[in-house]
Amino acid sequence: MLRVLIAEDNKVNQRVAARILEKRGHSVLLADTGKQAVDIFQHQTIDVILMDVQMPEMDGIEATREIRRLEAEGQHVPIVALTAHAMSTDKEICLAAGMDDYLSKPINPDVLVAALERQAAAASA
């Protein structure tokens, strides 16, 4: 079971992703903004973060950079970008910011679960 933080400002997208993950036995925390995601990261144990790129207050790119800055030595929480943009340059921007993977919306349940499992396995290796 993974403890997954979903950082997504769209409530429908939050619910869809949460249901997919909870049906597979994962625990889910929700953040509406990048700033909330950073705050939760600082106070909770998280296995994987699903990070929307476009959010109010602090976007996913900025939040990812802040999480990477705050990580303790030897710590690396996988961050998977969730975005409606499917341009190759968007993927490059996400990876350059410190994200580990990139998924486009709408969310495909099988692709989402495979990405989470891949990132969790890589993190524990």
Side-chain angles (χ1 to χ4, degrees):
M1 177 180 85
L2 297 173
R3 190 167 168 95
V4 182
L5 171 59
I6 301 172
E8 165 69 66
D9 62 320
N10 181 292
K11 295 293 187 189
V12 172
N13 290 342
Q14 272 185 357
R15 281 190 294 255
V16 168
R19 281 193 191 133
I20 291 167
L21 299 175
E22 288 169 345
K23 280 184 180 179
R24 286 164 174 81
H26 301 300
S27 173
V28 174
L29 297 166
L30 300 174
D32 295 323
T33 68
K35 188 174 181 320
Q36 284 180 353
V38 172
D39 186 55
I40 291 169
F41 168 79
Q42 289 180 286
H43 297 98
Q44 301 281 334
T45 301
I46 306 294
D47 296 311
V48 180
I49 300 171
L50 296 177
M51 183 76 73
D52 184 20
V53 173
Q54 294 185 335
M55 289 182 289
E57 254 182 69
M58 177 187 283
D59 67 26
I61 300 297
E62 188 179 348
T64 296
R65 287 184 181 131
E66 182 64 10
I67 288 168
R68 293 296 181 231
R69 189 185 71 73
L70 294 167
E71 283 178 322
E73 177 99 19
Q75 180 186 24
H76 182 84
V77 174
I79 300 175
V80 178
L82 292 176
T83 181
H85 302 286
M87 306 284 289
S88 61
T89 55
D90 294 325
K91 181 176 183 176
E92 291 168 12
I93 291 167
C94 291
L95 297 176
M99 293 180 180
D100 300 283
D101 207 345
Y102 176 94
L103 300 176
S104 60
K105 297 178 194 175
I107 296 170
N108 175 312
D110 294 330
V111 173
L112 173 61
V113 170
L116 281 183
E117 291 173 355
R118 184 171 55 248
Q119 291 305 321
S124 64

